[in-house]
């Protein structure tokens, strides 16, 4: 039986913190489905197709499990059921993340108690990284190269420049 896990998120943009959780989460399952959410309320910098391409490129060299990158725009538990997931992988950075994630895990358990949520603590050096902050730093012309890969850095910088033009 193949153990399928999902790692959902906006990935706008994908950061080194996300990559850490993906690498570690992929070791826990046979197949990791990275679900790129289409939640328009977050006002993303990149559209869903751009984010899918970005994530696929960044995870291409991870070989510890089969990795699939897909978009979804429905309830997380419905998405988990659709892909046959038995595990949801979530990353935690700080106490505020825990409080939110704990509440979400409880609600998700009420919807389907056969799908477990696993929390992975972010690597200490990556804990402060958040996509929202990466975008904010880039908008104000700060250096984001410590937080994302070189390819993602170039994409974010180019998008900021395009948006300012």
């Amino acid at each position: 039986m193949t153990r399928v896990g999902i790692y959902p998120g906006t990935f706008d943009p994908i950061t080194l913190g996300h990559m850490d959780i993906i690498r570690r989460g992929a070791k826990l399952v046979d197949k990791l489905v990275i679900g790129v959410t289409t939640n328009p309320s977050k006002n993303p910098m990149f559209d869903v197709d751009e984010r899918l391409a970005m994530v696929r490129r960044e995870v291409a060299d991870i070989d510890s499990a089969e990795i699939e990158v897909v978009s979804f725009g429905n309830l997380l538990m419905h998405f988990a059921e659709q892909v046959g997931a038995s595990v949801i992988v979530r990353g935690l950075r700080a106490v505020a993340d825990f409080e939110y994630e704990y509440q979400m895990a409880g609600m998700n358990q009420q919807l389907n108690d056969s799908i477990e949520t696993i929390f992975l603590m972010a690597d200490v050096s990556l804990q402060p990284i958040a996509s929202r902050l990466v975008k904010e730093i880039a908008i104000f012309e700060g250096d984001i190269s410590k937080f994302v890969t070189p390819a993602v850095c170039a994409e974010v910088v180019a998008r900021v420049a395009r948006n300012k033009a």
Side-chain angles (χ1 to χ4, degrees), residues 35-111:
V36 179
T37 185
T38 58
N39 185 351
S41 68
K42 288 200 170 187
N43 192 23
M45 177 179 277
F46 297 96
D47 68 33
V48 69
D49 291 330
E50 292 169 321
R51 289 182 278 132
L52 284 168
M54 189 184 296
V55 174
R56 286 179 179 137
R57 181 193 65 231
E58 297 300 318
V59 302
D61 67 341
I62 299 173
D63 61 2
S64 55
E66 178 185 350
I67 296 179
E68 180 180 9
V69 181
V70 298
S71 66
F72 77 101
N74 56 339
L75 191 63
L76 175 60
M77 295 311 278
H78 291 167
F79 175 63
E81 292 164 1
Q82 287 169 355
V83 301
S86 59
V87 174
I88 298 170
V89 176
R90 298 298 294 162
L92 295 176
R93 293 173 298 202
V95 173
D97 282 350
F98 177 79
E99 291 172 1
Y100 172 78
E101 294 294 347
Y102 181 78
Q103 183 177 23
M104 289 300 298
M107 293 297 287
N108 287 337
Q109 187 179 37
Q110 294 293 316
L111 295 171

Side-chain angles (χ1 to χ4, degrees), residues 146-159:
K146 295 177 187 172
F147 313 121
V148 295
T149 65
V152 172
C153 182
E155 286 180 273
V156 172
V157 169
R159 180 56 51 92

Side-chain angles (χ1 to χ4, degrees), residues 135-147:
K135 290 184 288 191
E136 188 172 317
I137 291 166
I139 289 167
F140 289 103
E141 300 176 4
D143 179 12
I144 61 170
S145 64
K146 295 177 187 172
F147 313 121

